[in-house]
Amino acid sequence: MSAPTIEPAPTVHRQRICILGATGSVGTSTLDVVARHPERFEIVALTAHHRVDELFLQCLQWRPRFAALPEAAQANSLRQRLRAHGVPTQVLAGAQALIDLASHPEVDTVMAAIVGAAGLAPCLAAARAGKRLLLANKEALVVGGALFMDAVRQGGATLVPIDSEHSAIFQCLPEDRSLWSGHIDHIVLTASGGPFRTRDPATLKHVTPDEACAHPNWVMGRKISVDSATMMNKALEVIEAHWLFDLAPEQIRVVIHPQSIIHSMVACRDNSVLAQLGTPDMRVPIAYGLSFPRRIESGASALDFTAPSSFSFEPPDLARYPGLALAWATLRAPVGSTAVLNAANEVAVAAFLAGTIRFDRIHSVNAHALEHVDVRAQQCDTLDALLDLDARVRREAARFVKGLAA
């Protein structure tokens, strides 16, 4: 009798990853998770907006095949520095580079962590190319909506939400999307309430950018931190949830949960409620997105249910957070209204961070744009049309900001 043949171990294909927005908080958290699983993942491409020094250090560590920056001068500087250290990374420049990398045949997974509407075009490219798309850029859905979801379906992409709230909903639902509509009565997106949850609304006009960016639970970039302070991030998440989970506006609710332990909930048709819990650490949804439908170690701390603690909930105060109601209003308004809200908010937050307008004027800019930009004047069913609308809104919002600052 011959000895049994020992089969060689199967070759494990490492997941090849492109991180759009590698130097931001989500991008660096993604690299932290990837570093824990070198046998599973390979970094193929890294992009950044303006943090050239940080991208340089990332390229030294990860030695990706590609890196990209918006400006040619930035790219040339990075290219020379990498060559001096013997790193053969190919450095690209411009918006088209992001599109090319998101759809590159050597990329399996795209982490879409670019903040704002600038992420829409590369997200569409990744979707149309059938990538595993880890969506941390909520604006792609807020601006793109139907166009983006059509690209996901037509390209056969695997779309996994990375925002902690949408990841929580996604984790509570069956893997088979066809079961979702019969499963859900409504969803509940939780919100921490930000740094001004108990502050007198009359004093918010005195808020400084540093105060607005001091989130009590999460470590985030400055733009999203301001959005959390105004709860515009939750308004955008309501719109994102509408498209991700194919829900009517009235099926999406928001509750303040200051502890940020319950990340969101699904209320089922039988009145049971499913919730996803965890420490407030973005590495949890990132690890789930990278390994879906499996789970891998994330590096986040475990919850200790033996430690004294309590969960509390309260309705959002619309006097303190007037922008939140705009989510449902724009979902019921003509197509393109959600894109108007997003563009105006980006202009308003940038103006606040620059010291041009007061914190309490952010909502005024958003409300003004929704009232004065007529979305019925054009179709919003192509990328070019959406970008044209985005530019129109930014011009109107900038004009209004200039008047407020005068």
Side-chain angles (χ1 to χ4, degrees), residues 239-308:
I239 297 166
E240 184 182 8
H242 162 74
W243 290 108
L244 277 173
F245 306 114
D246 194 22
L247 297 173
E250 58 270 16
Q251 288 182 284
I252 308 168
R253 304 176 190 178
V254 171
V255 66
I256 302 291
H257 170 53
Q259 296 79 20
S260 296
I261 298 299
I262 298 176
H263 297 305
S264 279
M265 296 172 274
V266 175
C268 303
R269 293 189 181 277
D270 60 1
N271 285 332
S272 61
V273 178
L274 306 178
Q276 187 263 336
L277 285 70
T279 52
D281 189 324
M282 282 303 298
R283 290 177 296 179
V284 174
I286 289 168
Y288 186 69
L290 287 169
S291 61
F292 173 78
R294 298 175 178 83
R295 292 182 183 270
I296 58 175
E297 195 267 326
S298 68
S301 301
L303 286 176
D304 182 359
F305 288 100
T306 66

Side-chain angles (χ1 to χ4, degrees), residues 22-23 28 31 46 54-64:
T23 60
T28 56
L31 289 172
L46 299 172
E54 288 92 331
L55 185 60
F56 168 68
L57 293 175
Q58 290 177 344
C59 289
L60 284 183
Q61 178 180 357
W62 294 96
R63 304 177 78 87

Side-chain angles (χ1 to χ4, degrees), residues 159-200:
L159 180 62
V160 184
I162 298 301
D163 275 349
S164 61
E165 297 82 359
H166 302 92
S167 175
I169 300 298
F170 189 75
Q171 292 181 55
C172 289
L173 292 173
E175 190 176 330
D176 184 349
R177 288 184 67 101
S178 67
L179 300 176
W180 287 7
S181 61
H183 199 84
I184 303 171
D185 180 78
H186 65 275
I187 66 171
V188 180
L189 302 178
T190 57
S192 69
F196 308 131
R197 182 177 65 86
T198 60
R199 181 161 169 165
D200 182 354

Side-chain angles (χ1 to χ4, degrees), residues 147-163:
L147 179 68
F148 179 77
M149 293 307 294
D150 284 345
V152 169
R153 285 187 288 268
Q154 292 168 11
T158 300
L159 180 62
V160 184
I162 298 301
D163 275 349

